[in-house]
Amino acid sequence: MAKWTRQVIGTCCLAAVAAVAGCGSHSASPSPSGVVVTEDQSGQRITLSPGSTLEVRLISNPSAGFDWQITSPDSPVLGTPSSGFARSTSGAIGAAGTAWWKYTVQGRGTSTLRLEYRRSWEASTERVFSIEVDVR
């Protein structure tokens, strides 16, 4: 009986590790309304269809003076995004949260979306997020 119990516990532990490892996946993920991308997809090409949505979610810490700024020109392919900021659920003062932008694809074509993470009063850029969006 003890051997069977160890096997069951071992199998459950392996299943839990596999589930947690799957949660760390950083590929573009489909949502009910389209595709969600994070900083891990920077430099990649995303393919969408007209009318679908693209949501960009990037870690941000405005309490340290940093903000993501869209530096690519407006695109007739992507249109104008809605945007917002989700605070950290940790409750820690000064903790980073998530800045987000949601685009509804307007038409066919290719567009590059580029954002820079920086302080508005500094010339240097801390990080860059860039994806190429191909709408077919």
Side-chain angles (χ1 to χ4, degrees):
M1 186 73 133
K3 182 178 181 182
W4 180 81
T5 303
R6 283 191 302 256
Q7 288 176 337
V8 169
I9 291 172
T11 302
C12 290
C13 288
L14 285 174
V17 168
V20 170
C23 290
S25 175
H26 298 295
S27 61
S29 58
S31 71
S33 59
V35 174
V36 176
V37 295
T38 64
E39 199 168 352
D40 293 329
Q41 282 80 42
S42 186
Q44 294 184 10
R45 178 185 206 105
I46 306 296
T47 302
L48 299 169
S49 56
S52 63
T53 60
L54 169 66
E55 187 171 343
V56 179
R57 296 180 187 167
L58 302 173
I59 301 300
S60 181
N61 193 349
S63 66
F66 287 98
D67 192 20
W68 286 98
Q69 299 174 10
I70 299 173
T71 58
S72 53
D74 287 341
S75 164
V77 173
L78 292 176
T80 303
S82 58
S83 62
F85 182 80
R87 294 181 186 192
S88 169
T89 57
S90 74
I93 295 173
T98 304
W100 60 266
W101 298 263
K102 189 170 186 176
Y103 292 87
T104 300
V105 176
Q106 302 296 309
R108 297 182 191 278
T110 301
S111 181
T112 299
L113 177 60
R114 180 184 164 92
L115 293 94
E116 293 181 354
Y117 189 63
R118 55 191 302 255
R119 291 180 169 131
S120 61
W121 64 88
E122 293 179 347
S124 63
T125 298
E126 184 75 15
R127 297 190 317 257
V128 173
F129 171 84
S130 179
I131 57 170
E132 188 169 335
V133 180
D134 185 22
V135 181
R136 300 179 187 183

